[in-house]
Amino acid sequence: MSLFHLSFYSAFTLSSLGLAFHRTHLISALLCLEGMMLSMYIALSIWPVENQTPSFTMVPVLMLAFSACEAGTGLAMLVASTRTHGSDHLHNFNLLQC
Amino acid sequence: METTLLLNTSLLLTLTILLTPIMLPPMLKNFQNSPTSITRTVKTAFLTSLIPATTFIYSGVESITSYWEWKFIMNFKIPMSLKMDQYSMVFLPIALFVTWSILQFATWYMASEPYITKFFTYLLTFLIAMLTLTIANNMFLLFMGWEGVGIMSFLLIGWWQGRAEANTAALQAVMYNRIGDIGLILSMAWLASTLNTWEIQQTLHPQQTPTLPLLGLILAATGKSAQFGLHPWLPAAMEGPTPVSALLHSSTMVVAGIFLLIRTHPMMATNNTALTICLCLGALSTLFAATCALTQNDIKKIIAFSTSSQLGLMMVTIGLNLPQLAFLHISTHAFFKAMLFLCSGSIIHSLNGEQDIRKMGGLQKTLPTTTSCLTIGNLALMGTPFLAGFYSKDLIIESLNTSHLNAWALLLTLLATSFTATYSLRMTLLVQTGFNRTSPITPMNENNPSIINPITRLAMGSIMAGLLITSLITPTKTPTMTMPFITKTAAILVTILGITMAIELSNMTHTLTYPKQNPLTNFSSSLGFFNPLMHRLFSTNLLHKGQKIASHLIDLSWYKKMGPEGLANLQLMASKTVTSTHTGLIKTYLGSFTFSILMIILSSY
């Protein structure tokens, strides 16, 4: 694959690994999530150029809108969990208990 | 002269006289029974019953009278028929004579009893039931008499109902009799379904009768006449008052089983299996009872076991195909056995309730009449030549020796005969001779005519009855006349052997020359361990089985282990193991998420 494709493949993979293996703060997970969104935006932008289909040019903008909502939701949950748990340290969080 | 009319009329008169103390009080206003009136009734009935007996002896007339017929269903009729043949004709006066003597004795023995009239009424009801059994020609009427004597036996054994042993003994009697009744009902059902009749004269089968109804009859006789296997109730029945033991459990009720076999003998005459069963069962019973009687110390128990032994001997005679001889033994046995019981009753009351022969002795000087009659009774029981017992017992032993049969049964019977002599003589020696071992102050007084007259009357009967009956009734089967000398005197020889053993045995009892316990005496004095084995083993087994099925199998196994609870337990085990891995931490969750994504991506390459 070309060098350009490698860049955003590796950006996506590294961000997802970062999401999975973040150490202490929940906000770092959210940042990695933003990184995944960024790499996906770039990939979606390159796609109509490579495939010569101008009608797909709108797709990255749609994705950006949804990722903004998602970032907002993530930040709201961060604030809510910080309010209830006292901090955003991840070892306090338990799936079985709110 | 119309002999049959005379026969039937006098028999009916006898029965009506017997029924008066029971029928009259409800009908007349101021009629009260009393012991003396009931005794007088039975005496009158005895005298009246001599009329049909002498008619029969004079002319040999027999009759069957059918009264009211109960139309049960369309083709099965049950006539109430009475049979007057040699058995009922001869048994009736004997039973009434013995009962009269016993009732007269009971007016003295039970004099301090508050409910004495009820006691006498019970004895009279028993007598009526027994006589119904005797003269019945129809199995239905016989069954009514059979059940009647069973119930009266229960009521009379448990007469002193405050005593726990008396209640258990009465219950034991009823239960063992009931097991025998199963056999009787089986035979009656077979008769009703196969031969469509319950009349005894119609039961003679042209060929060999099938063994099943005969087995039923033998089971009935085993239950009622205390053969081995259903015997424990007879020694236990000694809990009742002595007149009850004298009437029921020596002369009349216990012979009902043998009487049934005598009546239905034509059915059994051709079936060799049934005859062999009777023979072996009788031989076993007679030996077992005689062995148990050797080491008993209660005077009434010794006499009870001797009754059991003589019943076994009667069963042996049935097995030899000689019903008439068995009947002869029943008749002579009634006299001396009732007398033995009355003598023991007199001794017991004179010693203020002492029944242990180890605490009696030297009574020959203080109770002369009683002890003389006791000696006569024991000699008659042993088969002393020309007393009553000799005519029946010696004939039985002779027939045993000269017929084709089981050598084992023969050996057992001879052994039992010698044991009879042993325990009778032991009882006589310990009660009458030697030093006086009773307590110093005893109310010993036998001068009452109520004691002396019955006992001496029965003593005369014990001496003469054998001769009278054998000379007046012609036998239907010829007895064997010629046999070797040893065979002829076999009974006497074994009796003398038994007497020698008895003298040795009674010396041992109070001179302490041998160790107290050895296995043989243990076997004999604990009645062969039959009672604890059978009574505990069967019930424990049954209850354990019940517990296994109901509680262990159904409740514990199916409901707990395999069914609902078991399933729940399995799930619990699984979930407990898995719960410890569910921590709920996000990191593990995300780590497994990455791992699986990586796997999927890598596997597509």
Side-chain angles (χ1 to χ4, degrees):
Chain A
M1 116 198 33
S2 68
L3 196 59
F4 190 51
H5 289 181
L6 177 67
S7 67
F8 52 81
Y9 279 160
S10 56
F12 186 82
T13 318
L14 282 173
S15 303
S16 62
L17 280 177
L19 170 67
F21 296 128
H22 55 268
R23 289 184 57 163
T24 39
H25 290 276
L26 183 61
I27 193 150
S28 51
L30 292 176
L31 276 173
C32 290
L33 212 57
E34 291 310 306
M36 283 162 77
M37 290 301 124
L38 191 62
S39 62
M40 273 180 69
Y41 176 75
I42 295 176
L44 282 173
S45 314
I46 293 300
W47 192 14
V49 173
E50 286 205 348
N51 290 339
Q52 305 285 335
T53 50
S55 51
F56 289 150
T57 320
M58 197 188 50
V59 176
V61 179
L62 282 177
M63 201 221 79
L64 216 53
F66 282 120
S67 83
C69 300
E70 176 200 323
T73 319
L75 283 172
M77 287 220 300
L78 175 74
V79 169
S81 57
T82 312
R83 288 231 173 103
T84 51
H85 288 265
S87 68
D88 67 345
H89 286 198
L90 281 158
H91 54 264
N92 285 341
F93 296 165
N94 200 326
L95 271 176
L96 301 172
Q97 181 194 359
C98 245
Chain B
M1 185 165 69
E2 272 288 346
T3 41
T4 25
L5 182 64
L6 181 66
L7 202 75
N8 293 333
T9 324
S10 40
L11 187 85
L12 273 182
L13 185 62
T14 317
L15 294 174
T16 319
I17 292 173
L18 276 178
L19 280 172
T20 31
I22 299 185
M23 293 294 170
L24 283 186
M27 295 201 293
L28 298 179
K29 275 292 158 47
N30 295 326
F31 191 83
Q32 293 293 336
N33 276 336
S34 77
T36 35
S37 82
I38 295 183
T39 320
R40 243 198 337 256
T41 315
V42 176
K43 176 176 174 182
T44 323
F46 161 66
L47 292 171
T48 329
S49 73
L50 286 175
I51 303 174
T54 39
T55 319
F56 168 72
I57 292 170
Y58 172 70
S59 61
V61 55
E62 301 184 357
S63 84
I64 298 178
T65 322
S66 285
Y67 296 99
W68 176 64
E69 185 177 85
W70 181 27
K71 286 192 171 40
F72 188 32
I73 51 178
M74 184 56 88
N75 53 353
F76 186 69
K77 303 192 185 77
I78 307 177
M80 295 291 137
S81 52
L82 307 177
K83 179 166 189 172
M84 269 77 73
D85 62 344
Q86 52 164 321
Y87 300 130
S88 32
M89 288 293 131
V90 173
F91 190 73
L92 216 63
I94 292 175
L96 286 168
F97 181 73
V98 168
T99 314
W100 168 35
S101 310
I102 292 173
L103 287 180
Q104 201 180 359
F105 179 80
T107 50
W108 170 77
Y109 193 83
M110 309 287 287
S112 60
E113 172 73 46
Y115 297 111
I116 188 170
T117 315
K118 189 157 99 155
F119 184 74
F120 273 70
T121 323
Y122 278 5
L123 283 177
L124 190 68
T125 320
F126 164 79
L127 182 67
I128 294 169
M130 184 69 207
L131 293 181
T132 315
L133 199 158
T134 317
I135 60 180
N137 191 28
N138 196 331
M139 291 289 275
F140 187 63
L141 202 57
L142 192 140
F143 187 67
M144 291 200 320
W146 186 275
E147 292 297 302
V149 300
I151 293 295
M152 293 323 293
S153 163
F154 169 73
L155 288 173
L156 283 167
I157 295 175
W159 177 255
W160 289 315
Q161 62 228 32
R163 203 177 137 81
E165 286 96 329
N167 283 332
T168 41
L171 206 60
Q172 217 177 346
V174 157
M175 292 217 281
Y176 276 114
N177 273 343
R178 256 300 170 238
I179 299 178
D181 289 350
I182 298 173
L184 187 60
I185 296 177
L186 172 71
S187 319
M188 283 171 70
W190 185 88
L191 279 175
S193 59
T194 321
L195 297 176
N196 194 28
T197 179
W198 271 343
E199 293 281 302
I200 296 184
Q201 78 265 20
Q202 294 181 23
T203 57
L204 177 62
H205 220 257
Q207 314 96 292
Q208 197 188 38
T209 326
T211 323
L212 181 65
L214 301 177
L215 282 182
L217 289 174
I218 294 174
L219 181 63
T222 314
K224 194 64 104 181
S225 297
Q227 302 298 311
F228 183 73
L230 297 178
H231 65 277
W233 69 272
L234 192 52
M238 297 298 120
E239 289 288 332
T242 309
V244 168
S245 310
L247 186 53
L248 272 76
H249 307 119
S250 62
S251 0
T252 3
M253 182 182 116
V254 291
V255 299
I258 306 286
F259 201 82
L260 174 72
L261 288 181
I262 292 177
R263 272 269 191 252
T264 53
H265 196 264
M267 279 167 77
M268 286 176 57
T270 44
N271 193 329
N272 276 326
T273 319
L275 289 177
T276 319
I277 292 176
C278 281
L279 193 69
C280 298
L281 185 63
L284 187 60
S285 324
T286 176
L287 183 66
F288 182 74
T291 318
C292 292
L294 285 178
T295 52
Q296 292 299 314
N297 293 317
D298 186 352
I299 190 172
K300 281 179 76 172
K301 285 246 163 52
I302 296 181
I303 308 179
F305 277 115
S306 102
T307 310
S308 196
S309 180
Q310 296 303 308
L311 289 170
L313 192 66
M314 292 175 207
M315 188 67 126
V316 163
T317 326
I318 303 264
L320 286 174
N321 224 343
L322 298 167
Q324 229 180 355
L325 204 51
F327 179 72
L328 179 66
H329 197 54
I330 289 179
S331 317
T332 51
H333 174 258
F335 284 104
F336 52 78
K337 199 44 68 71
M339 182 173 70
L340 281 175
F341 267 113
L342 293 192
C343 294
S344 73
S346 163
I347 294 173
I348 291 170
H349 253 28
S350 299
L351 296 177
N352 201 17
E354 185 57 63
Q355 287 184 303
D356 199 334
I357 56 175
R358 297 173 293 191
K359 288 194 191 164
M360 302 176 194
L363 291 178
Q364 213 167 13
K365 300 288 187 257
T366 47
L367 296 172
T369 322
T370 311
T371 44
S372 321
C373 295
L374 191 73
T375 317
I376 294 176
N378 275 331
L379 286 175
L381 176 61
M382 288 196 268
T384 315
F386 309 117
L387 291 184
F390 170 75
Y391 288 94
S392 47
K393 213 163 163 197
D394 205 61
L395 263 164
I396 295 174
I397 306 273
E398 271 178 30
S399 321
L400 256 181
N401 277 333
T402 53
S403 50
H404 237 207
L405 50 62
N406 210 327
W408 178 76
L410 174 62
L411 189 65
L412 256 54
T413 317
L414 284 177
L415 206 56
T417 317
S418 75
F419 282 173
T420 310
T422 314
Y423 62 71
S424 307
L425 197 70
R426 173 173 178 259
M427 176 173 86
T428 318
L429 286 178
L430 279 177
V431 166
Q432 301 177 9
T433 64
F435 293 109
N436 199 328
R437 295 184 294 276
T438 62
S439 61
I441 302 175
T442 50
M444 235 183 266
N445 186 3
E446 59 164 14
N447 289 322
N448 202 330
S450 311
I451 317 173
I452 303 289
N453 287 346
I455 294 184
T456 34
R457 229 182 291 136
L458 285 175
M460 304 265 217
S462 304
I463 299 174
M464 299 193 298
L467 183 61
L468 273 176
I469 300 177
T470 38
S471 41
L472 295 173
I473 313 288
T474 44
T476 46
K477 294 195 177 135
T478 341
T480 327
M481 295 294 180
T482 59
M483 58 192 91
F485 181 73
I486 297 281
T487 318
K488 185 79 182 173
T489 53
I492 304 280
L493 284 177
V494 294
T495 308
I496 293 175
L497 198 70
I499 290 175
T500 347
M501 259 198 334
I503 297 176
E504 195 58 44
L505 198 68
S506 56
N507 272 345
M508 283 176 171
T509 313
H510 38 248
T511 50
L512 291 176
T513 50
Y514 77 116
K516 285 278 183 213
Q517 278 193 25
N518 61 36
L520 285 172
T521 47
N522 274 348
F523 181 84
S524 175
S525 48
S526 33
L527 313 186
F529 310 111
F530 186 88
N531 286 26
L533 267 177
M534 287 295 139
H535 294 174
R536 305 272 166 95
L537 210 70
F538 276 136
S539 14
T540 322
N541 225 348
L542 197 70
L543 291 172
H544 269 161
K545 277 206 181 79
Q547 186 186 40
K548 246 191 232 155
I549 294 178
S551 168
H552 291 176
L553 186 61
I554 296 180
D555 283 349
L556 294 179
S557 289
W558 283 119
Y559 293 162
K560 279 199 185 296
K561 285 245 151 199
M562 316 238 176
E565 288 199 30
L567 222 56
N569 276 346
L570 261 171
Q571 306 297 338
L572 202 66
M573 217 165 37
S575 47
K576 269 198 198 147
T577 337
V578 177
T579 308
S580 52
T581 54
H582 287 180
T583 48
L585 295 177
I586 292 183
K587 275 179 132 181
T588 353
Y589 181 63
L590 285 174
S592 56
F593 160 72
T594 327
F595 185 65
S596 27
I597 296 288
L598 273 175
M599 282 292 110
I600 291 171
I601 292 175
L602 285 178
S603 65
S604 62
Y605 280 104

